[in-house]
Amino acid sequence: MDGFTFSKATDDVITRIRKTLNRQRSTLNTKSSAIENKFLVILNYLALFELATLVISLALGDITQDLPNIGII
C-alpha cells in the first residue's frame, strides 16, 4: 500500500467517524431539548400555582382584615 492509498483510506475512516459523531450529537441535542422543555413546562406550572396561591392569600387577607395576618395559605 502506497502513501496515497493509505491517506485516502484514512480520510474515508475519518469522514465516517465524523458522520457518526454528528448523528450522535444531533440525537443527544434532541433528547436534551426534550428534557429541557419538560422541565420548563413544570416550572411554568409551578409559577402559575404560586401566583394562584398569592392571589388566594391576598383575597383571604382582604376578607379577614380584622383577624391578625397569620398567613393562612
Side-chain angles (χ1 to χ4, degrees):
M1 180 183 281
D2 63 20
F4 293 113
T5 307
F6 179 76
S7 176
K8 184 178 180 333
T10 305
D11 288 344
D12 290 342
V13 169
I14 291 172
T15 302
R16 284 185 284 166
I17 290 172
R18 283 186 180 159
K19 285 180 184 177
T20 303
L21 288 175
N22 286 336
R23 204 174 323 124
Q24 292 298 322
R25 186 180 299 122
S26 176
T27 301
L28 288 175
N29 285 339
T30 301
K31 288 180 182 178
S32 66
S33 293
I35 292 170
E36 183 179 353
N37 286 339
K38 288 179 184 178
F39 180 70
L40 290 175
V41 166
I42 291 170
L43 283 180
N44 284 335
Y45 287 136
L46 183 63
L48 287 176
F49 176 74
E50 183 180 2
L51 185 62
T53 304
L54 180 64
V55 168
I56 291 170
S57 177
L58 290 173
L60 289 176
D62 286 344
I63 292 172
T64 60
Q65 276 183 344
D66 50 342
L67 296 176
N69 190 2
I70 56 173
I72 295 172
I73 296 182

